[in-house]
Amino acid sequence: MTFLFHEAFCLGLALLLGFSPQHPHESVTTRPVTDILICRNAHISFYSPAPIEDIRAETDQAVSALNSATGSLYFKVMIRSFTFRRSLMQEHFNEDFMESDQYPYAEFKGNVLQMPDLSKDGNYTVQVQGTLTIHGLSKNYTVPATLSVKNKQVSGHAVFNVKLADHHIQIPRLLMKDIAEQVQVTVDAVYQVDNSSSAGTGA
Amino acid sequence: MKGLYVTVVAGLLLFPHTGQAQQDLSRLFADSTASHLPVMATFKGTTLVNLQTTKTLHAHDLLFIVGHRFGDFAGSNGGGKTFFGMDAISDVLIGFEYGFSDRFTAGIGRDKGAPNGVSEFQTQLFYLTGKYRLLDQTGDGHIPVSLDLFARGIFSAAQRQPIPQSNIDFQHFGDRWSGSLQLLLARKFSESFSAELIPTYLYRALTAPQDPHQMFALGAGFRLKINKRMAIIADYVQPFRSTASQDYYKQQFNQHFYPPIGIGWEVETGGHVFHIEFTNATSILENQFIPNTTTSWTKGQFRWGFNLTRTFTLAKGAAAEWKQ
């Protein structure tokens, strides 16, 4: 009988901690109603030096969300949205390397480790850890990133390398000379407070 | 002990909760899924063996094209003495195409012209082409096919020959013109298989007797990918020549007309598309190979052919300038 009481007590406590609409610490800070920051036009570019012609592509159609309380971070980009200077290269990129009909998106799900307090202006160097899924293959990454706050506007910036082999991106032998084995990826996002999502999504 | 128990259970219940918050972030963008994206690379070359494809150039791309048709591979004009037709060139085309937009490609070129049969004497051909993309097949099936309109106008610069009943006895400047109008209807059925259907209208200003000025034809072709770089291509054209016209040529000149059939091997490397192909058609332009193919596969009158194209990108878009 006492055991059951314990069970009920624990469950009640857990529910209280986990599902209460307002955390105790939230009530004392000047945080907005939601902790979710969102960016619908994140800029992603990649660059790969090559003997014949450097390969560059970019998109500003990536989306991202950052939970400023928990440090949860999410990125998603449609592969077809990357634009190249040579549209023929863009066709090869989609058709042969990325097989974007089959794997239309690249996705990152992770966390900002030791999340700084974003209520104060400043530049914060952080580590971001998570899973990057490209070409249907997921791999764990830990990369340095910068979070900047200026006039309460939060932006993120990161540069890291992706090895093509890690994501089973195979370059046809006839084109092998043209393409490096890893590409440098640059990510930039300027976040807005997400007003569309309900307060319930804040953890 | 009780305190530890509380912590553990609370922790267990909280952890899935943070996991749920994680998922919520991706759910924020559930509505951002793109739709109606056009399918890519239904065809790689602007032609199959003899027929056009729905491929238009990307904006500001320039395509250089060289086409070759050799002599008969076998039969009475082929075999070892002509190195299986390699010594005898029947038709050569050199041309340029330019993508004015992703939808509209225009071309200009020079073709030798390949006399074949009894009525085909016109050579020294200059042409202008236009290809316009009307419909793009989408990956989600919203639009099931791609549709292009293709037109070619051809001018023969050959010197007038006073051969009676020929199509080279030019009386007026207008006699030198011919051309074709085609609807290119294509569908990419799977990652490796694309096919197309081509209703065709031909017009020739000057023709031999019983050779019609206007003719309809129906073409069909496909491309089957072997791997990322190579494909098998094939096409077929059924010209609709009247029985009266066929009988006339059969009785007067013992000439038979055959549908042009081509089969080829396509290799694509970066900006190049190479075709090595076999066809019974001796000529490259529609106004000649569709109505006047009198050479037959079954008589060994098929030949080597090449279509070689190289794409040059002339675009200097803003994308070139952005910071590294």
Side-chain angles (χ1 to χ4, degrees), chain A residues 1 12 16 27 30 36 38-39 41 49-50 65 67 81 103 111 113 139 142 144-145 147 156 170 185 197:
Chain A
M1 195 63 189
L16 198 70
S27 57
T30 53
I36 307 283
I38 206 161
C39 173
N41 57 350
N67 187 323
S81 74
Y103 312 104
N111 286 286
L113 306 178
K139 193 181 178 291
T142 305
L147 285 173
Q170 287 167 344
V185 179
S197 71

Short mmCIF file of all heavy atoms in Angstrom, two decimals, chain A residues 1 12 16 27 30 36 38-39 41 49-50 65 67 81 103 111 113 139 142 144-145 147 156 170 185 197:
data_model
loop_
_atom_site.label_atom_id
_atom_site.label_comp_id
_atom_site.label_asym_id
_atom_site.label_seq_id
_atom_site.Cartn_x
_atom_site.Cartn_y
_atom_site.Cartn_z
N MET A 1 0.84 -1.20 0.00
CA MET A 1 0.00 0.00 0.00
C MET A 1 0.88 1.26 0.00
O MET A 1 0.68 2.18 -0.80
CB MET A 1 -0.91 -0.03 1.24
CG MET A 1 -2.07 0.95 1.19
SD MET A 1 -3.20 0.60 -0.18
CE MET A 1 -4.25 2.01 -0.14
N GLY A 12 3.22 11.77 -9.92
CA GLY A 12 2.70 13.13 -9.81
C GLY A 12 3.80 14.15 -9.93
O GLY A 12 3.69 15.13 -10.67
N LEU A 16 4.38 16.87 -12.84
CA LEU A 16 4.48 18.27 -12.46
C LEU A 16 5.72 18.90 -13.11
O LEU A 16 5.68 19.99 -13.68
CB LEU A 16 4.58 18.38 -10.92
CG LEU A 16 4.26 19.75 -10.35
CD1 LEU A 16 2.77 20.03 -10.50
CD2 LEU A 16 4.66 19.80 -8.87
N SER A 27 9.63 31.76 -14.72
CA SER A 27 8.81 32.83 -14.18
C SER A 27 9.67 33.97 -13.64
O SER A 27 9.18 35.09 -13.52
CB SER A 27 7.91 32.28 -13.06
OG SER A 27 8.73 31.68 -12.08
N THR A 30 13.19 37.10 -17.93
CA THR A 30 12.38 37.88 -18.86
C THR A 30 12.28 37.18 -20.20
O THR A 30 12.20 37.78 -21.25
CB THR A 30 13.01 39.27 -19.08
OG1 THR A 30 14.38 39.08 -19.45
CG2 THR A 30 12.91 40.11 -17.84
N ILE A 36 11.40 28.71 -28.32
CA ILE A 36 11.76 28.24 -29.66
C ILE A 36 12.10 29.42 -30.55
O ILE A 36 11.32 30.34 -30.73
CB ILE A 36 10.60 27.45 -30.30
CG1 ILE A 36 10.11 26.33 -29.39
CG2 ILE A 36 11.00 26.93 -31.67
CD1 ILE A 36 10.97 25.11 -29.37
N ILE A 38 13.31 30.38 -34.45
CA ILE A 38 13.09 29.73 -35.74
C ILE A 38 13.72 30.54 -36.87
O ILE A 38 13.81 31.76 -36.78
CB ILE A 38 11.56 29.52 -35.95
CG1 ILE A 38 11.30 28.35 -36.88
CG2 ILE A 38 10.89 30.76 -36.43
CD1 ILE A 38 9.90 27.83 -36.74
N CYS A 39 14.19 29.86 -37.89
CA CYS A 39 14.75 30.54 -39.06
C CYS A 39 14.28 29.80 -40.30
O CYS A 39 14.49 28.59 -40.43
CB CYS A 39 16.28 30.54 -39.00
SG CYS A 39 17.05 31.19 -40.49
N ASN A 41 14.96 30.95 -43.48
CA ASN A 41 15.82 31.24 -44.64
C ASN A 41 17.29 31.10 -44.28
O ASN A 41 18.09 31.99 -44.55
CB ASN A 41 15.50 32.63 -45.21
CG ASN A 41 15.64 33.72 -44.17
OD1 ASN A 41 15.80 33.44 -42.98
ND2 ASN A 41 15.61 34.96 -44.60
N PRO A 49 37.50 22.60 -53.18
CA PRO A 49 38.51 22.96 -54.17
C PRO A 49 38.79 21.77 -55.07
O PRO A 49 38.80 20.63 -54.61
CB PRO A 49 39.73 23.31 -53.31
CG PRO A 49 39.54 22.58 -52.04
CD PRO A 49 38.07 22.35 -51.85
N ALA A 50 38.97 22.03 -56.34
CA ALA A 50 39.22 20.95 -57.28
C ALA A 50 40.18 21.45 -58.35
O ALA A 50 40.23 22.63 -58.63
CB ALA A 50 37.90 20.50 -57.92
N ALA A 65 15.62 25.46 -36.33
CA ALA A 65 14.98 25.85 -35.07
C ALA A 65 15.95 25.60 -33.93
O ALA A 65 16.73 24.65 -33.96
CB ALA A 65 13.69 25.06 -34.85
N ASN A 67 16.08 25.68 -29.63
CA ASN A 67 15.40 25.86 -28.36
C ASN A 67 16.39 26.53 -27.41
O ASN A 67 17.36 25.92 -26.98
CB ASN A 67 14.95 24.51 -27.82
CG ASN A 67 14.09 24.65 -26.58
OD1 ASN A 67 14.34 25.51 -25.75
ND2 ASN A 67 13.08 23.80 -26.46
N SER A 81 17.37 22.56 -53.57
CA SER A 81 17.40 24.02 -53.47
C SER A 81 18.81 24.60 -53.63
O SER A 81 18.96 25.80 -53.80
CB SER A 81 16.78 24.48 -52.15
OG SER A 81 17.64 24.22 -51.07
N TYR A 103 16.54 10.87 -51.84
CA TYR A 103 16.87 11.48 -50.55
C TYR A 103 16.75 12.99 -50.68
O TYR A 103 17.74 13.69 -50.84
CB TYR A 103 18.29 11.11 -50.13
CG TYR A 103 18.61 9.64 -50.25
CD1 TYR A 103 19.40 9.16 -51.29
CD2 TYR A 103 18.12 8.74 -49.30
CE1 TYR A 103 19.69 7.81 -51.40
CE2 TYR A 103 18.40 7.39 -49.40
CZ TYR A 103 19.18 6.93 -50.45
OH TYR A 103 19.46 5.59 -50.56
N ASN A 111 22.17 19.09 -30.36
CA ASN A 111 22.10 19.97 -29.22
C ASN A 111 23.29 20.90 -29.19
O ASN A 111 24.38 20.53 -29.61
CB ASN A 111 22.10 19.16 -27.92
CG ASN A 111 20.77 18.47 -27.68
OD1 ASN A 111 19.80 19.10 -27.32
ND2 ASN A 111 20.75 17.17 -27.94
N LEU A 113 25.86 22.19 -26.81
CA LEU A 113 26.35 21.78 -25.50
C LEU A 113 26.64 23.04 -24.68
O LEU A 113 27.16 24.02 -25.20
CB LEU A 113 27.61 20.93 -25.65
CG LEU A 113 27.49 19.71 -26.57
CD1 LEU A 113 28.83 18.99 -26.68
CD2 LEU A 113 26.42 18.76 -26.07
N LYS A 139 25.31 10.38 -39.51
CA LYS A 139 26.62 10.31 -38.88
C LYS A 139 26.65 11.33 -37.75
O LYS A 139 26.06 12.40 -37.86
CB LYS A 139 27.73 10.61 -39.89
CG LYS A 139 29.10 10.25 -39.37
CD LYS A 139 30.19 10.57 -40.35
CE LYS A 139 31.56 10.24 -39.78
NZ LYS A 139 31.96 11.13 -38.68
N THR A 142 30.44 16.51 -34.02
CA THR A 142 30.61 17.53 -32.99
C THR A 142 31.40 18.64 -33.65
O THR A 142 32.54 18.42 -34.08
CB THR A 142 31.36 16.97 -31.78
OG1 THR A 142 30.67 15.81 -31.32
CG2 THR A 142 31.42 18.00 -30.66
N PRO A 144 32.40 23.00 -33.81
CA PRO A 144 32.35 24.30 -33.15
C PRO A 144 31.40 25.23 -33.89
O PRO A 144 31.30 25.17 -35.12
CB PRO A 144 33.79 24.80 -33.22
CG PRO A 144 34.38 24.10 -34.39
CD PRO A 144 33.67 22.80 -34.53
N ALA A 145 30.71 26.08 -33.15
CA ALA A 145 29.78 27.03 -33.77
C ALA A 145 29.81 28.32 -32.97
O ALA A 145 30.33 28.35 -31.84
CB ALA A 145 28.37 26.45 -33.81
N LEU A 147 27.32 31.37 -31.56
CA LEU A 147 25.99 31.95 -31.38
C LEU A 147 26.20 33.42 -31.04
O LEU A 147 27.01 33.74 -30.16
CB LEU A 147 25.23 31.25 -30.26
CG LEU A 147 24.67 29.86 -30.56
CD1 LEU A 147 24.09 29.24 -29.30
CD2 LEU A 147 23.61 29.94 -31.65
N GLY A 156 23.30 32.21 -35.69
CA GLY A 156 24.25 31.11 -35.54
C GLY A 156 25.12 30.98 -36.77
O GLY A 156 24.70 31.32 -37.88
N GLN A 170 29.05 8.73 -53.85
CA GLN A 170 30.08 8.21 -54.74
C GLN A 170 30.19 9.07 -55.99
O GLN A 170 29.20 9.41 -56.60
CB GLN A 170 29.76 6.77 -55.13
CG GLN A 170 30.01 5.83 -53.96
CD GLN A 170 29.42 4.46 -54.19
OE1 GLN A 170 28.58 4.28 -55.08
NE2 GLN A 170 29.84 3.51 -53.38
N VAL A 185 31.45 22.95 -45.40
CA VAL A 185 30.08 23.42 -45.34
C VAL A 185 30.01 24.64 -44.40
O VAL A 185 30.60 24.62 -43.32
CB VAL A 185 29.13 22.31 -44.82
CG1 VAL A 185 27.70 22.83 -44.72
CG2 VAL A 185 29.20 21.10 -45.73
N SER A 197 4.19 28.64 -32.93
CA SER A 197 4.04 27.42 -32.13
C SER A 197 3.51 27.78 -30.75
O SER A 197 3.76 28.85 -30.23
CB SER A 197 5.39 26.71 -32.01
OG SER A 197 6.24 27.45 -31.17
#
